[in-house]
Amino acid sequence: MSQETWTKVDEYIFDALVPSDPTLEAAIEASDEAGMPAIAVAPNQGKLLHLLARMIGARSILEIGTLGGYSTIWLARALPPEGRLVTLEYYPKFADVARKNLDAAGVGDLVDIRLGEALDLLPEVEGPIDLTFIDADRVNNPAYFEAALGLTRPGGVIVIDNVVRSGAVADTSNTSDEIVGLRRMHELIAAEPRVDATALQTVGMKGHDGLTVVLVTS
Ligand SMILES: C[S@@+](CC[C@H](N)C(=O)[O-])C[C@H]1O[C@@H](n2cnc3c(N)ncnc32)[C@H](O)[C@@H]1O
Ligand SMILES: [Mg+2]
């Protein structure tokens, strides 16, 4: 299997189940034009986040890692009119682009973008949260998971993106801070009696990676 095949299958999935959406495409274009890295979730992954939020009737969502607000739009669109989404972003320039994209998508009123180091911002986030999406610097994922667990209500869900990194997570010779952080996060999840979880590796237009899905049980 090659990257070419994975991209082709993603395109098939988009055509079949995730129709092109001018608002979301404009958000990606605006991020590209601002020179931001192309590291947003893929459309089918964004839709998975959206569906998970709808499946649990999410009214409050926390996102760690906004970038240009692409996944934020998918998640915000799952909220009822009185819902709320708090998203944390380190770079002011990224937050500015995200604010414009969210307003253009008509979900700006639902979203509170908080600027700064996520570890500093998390203690100020008000719970309970129904769904937390962790998609920032993996080295801090153990701390992000702990914070998310403290905020996410029983019955709520924590999703962590980019947990496979082209297989590096399973390569014992890889001791980079990022990969050690991912393994430590999975150890914490496994040892935590208040959650149940699984992880999936994914291939597609974004290469080989994966996501971890955690149900907060109590
Ligand atoms: C992969 S991108 C987020 C992509 C976005 N969730 C999407 O799919 O559309 C990660 C983002 O996290 C931000 N970030 C990285 N480390 C951070 C930190 N320590 N605190 C806050 N934001 C951080 C980066 O600036 C970047 O915008
Ligand atoms: Mg990601």
Side-chain angles (χ1 to χ4, degrees):
M1 284 277 273
S2 63
Q3 180 60 54
E4 192 187 345
T5 308
W6 299 342
T7 300
K8 213 169 145 188
V9 174
D10 257 4
E11 284 163 5
Y12 161 77
I13 292 169
F14 304 157
D15 283 347
L17 298 170
V18 191
S20 84
D21 179 315
T23 306
L24 285 162
E25 281 162 20
I28 293 293
E29 271 167 37
S31 303
D32 290 346
E33 276 163 22
M36 292 159 69
I39 52 173
V41 294
N44 48 344
Q45 296 167 337
K47 189 158 185 186
L48 175 65
L49 295 170
H50 171 87
L51 291 173
L52 286 171
R54 282 174 56 195
M55 283 173 192
I56 62 163
R59 300 161 73 86
S60 61
I61 295 175
L62 168 64
E63 177 178 66
I64 305 175
T66 317
L67 195 68
Y70 180 78
S71 55
T72 323
I73 296 172
W74 275 110
L75 286 164
R77 283 180 171 179
L79 287 169
E82 70 281 11
R84 69 190 177 102
L85 190 159
V86 173
T87 182
L88 313 181
E89 175 53 51
Y90 182 73
Y91 291 108
K93 183 181 142 186
F94 292 1
D96 287 347
V97 174
R99 172 48 62 200
K100 290 194 184 94
N101 285 336
L102 290 159
D103 289 344
V107 295
D109 289 348
L110 299 172
V111 180
D112 178 4
I113 304 176
R114 299 192 186 170
L115 200 55
E117 186 65 68
L119 287 177
D120 297 335
L121 298 170
L122 279 163
E124 303 302 319
V125 174
E126 313 79 14
I129 299 290
D130 299 317
L131 186 148
T132 301
F133 179 46
I134 299 174
D135 189 20
D137 49 337
R138 268 87 46 188
V139 64
N140 285 317
N141 272 13
Y144 295 156
F145 168 71
E146 297 280 22
L149 181 61
L151 287 164
T152 309
R153 68 162 167 89
V157 171
I158 303 168
V159 181
I160 305 112
D161 196 23
N162 307 114
V163 301
V164 169
R165 313 307 287 147
S166 304
V169 75
D171 173 2
T172 50
S173 69
N174 188 322
T175 54
S176 66
D177 291 347
E178 172 190 50
I179 297 303
V180 168
L182 284 172
R183 292 193 196 117
R184 178 77 192 125
M185 176 194 73
H186 284 135
E187 286 162 16
L188 288 175
I189 294 171
E192 174 53 62
R194 290 173 290 167
V195 305
D196 206 356
T198 190
L200 293 176
Q201 52 184 331
T202 56
V203 293
M205 62 181 276
K206 299 279 174 174
H208 177 205
D209 215 317
L211 54 107
T212 299
V213 179
V214 181
L215 174 66
V216 179
T217 53
S218 61

